[in-house]
């Protein structure tokens, strides 16, 4: 657990969202704080329908982060060595 601005935070965060509607293949999801997310319907779990509540879990993907940082380093190096 890490403390940020006096608030304890885990390495993983979970919360609930509601599927408001699906319009032309785009899911409109109501997230905490009054935020709306617009995601392709294909991202939704099988069987979810309008009005259902879903759980969302956010976690750090260390491997993907390191791979992205390495790609950026390589690109920066190739640009500097032109």
């Amino acid at each position: 657990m890490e403390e940020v601005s006096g608030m304890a935070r885990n390495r993983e965060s979970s919360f609930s969202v509601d599927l408001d509607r699906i319009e032309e293949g785009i899911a409109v999801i109501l997230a905490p704080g009054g935020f709306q997310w617009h995601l392709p319907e294909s991202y939704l779990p099988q069987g979810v329908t309008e009005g259902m509540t879903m759980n969302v879990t956010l976690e750090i993907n260390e491997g993907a982060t390191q791979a992205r940082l390495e790609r950026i380093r390589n690109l920066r190096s190739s640009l500097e060595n032109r």
Side-chain angles (χ1 to χ4, degrees):
M1 195 176 322
E2 172 183 343
E3 188 165 323
V4 177
S5 301
M7 193 169 144
R9 294 181 49 182
N10 294 318
R11 302 228 351 123
E12 182 178 285
S13 177
S14 296
F15 52 93
S16 295
V17 297
D18 299 314
L19 176 58
D20 183 49
R21 62 189 180 281
I22 299 172
E23 297 177 339
E24 298 178 16
I26 301 297
V28 178
I29 298 181
L30 305 179
F35 295 99
Q36 283 189 7
W37 293 354
H38 298 97
L39 301 172
E41 182 179 7
S42 61
Y43 283 32
L44 299 177
Q46 184 176 5
V48 71
T49 58
E50 294 176 354
M52 287 186 163
T53 298
M54 298 170 285
N55 293 323
V56 174
T57 300
L58 302 175
E59 60 184 297
I60 297 169
N61 184 328
E62 295 287 350
T65 299
Q66 292 306 315
R68 182 178 54 78
L69 292 174
E70 183 64 24
R71 284 192 307 274
I72 291 168
R73 276 191 290 274
N74 291 338
L75 178 58
R76 182 176 291 146
S77 178
S78 69
L79 291 171
E80 289 172 351
N81 295 323
R82 281 186 166 189

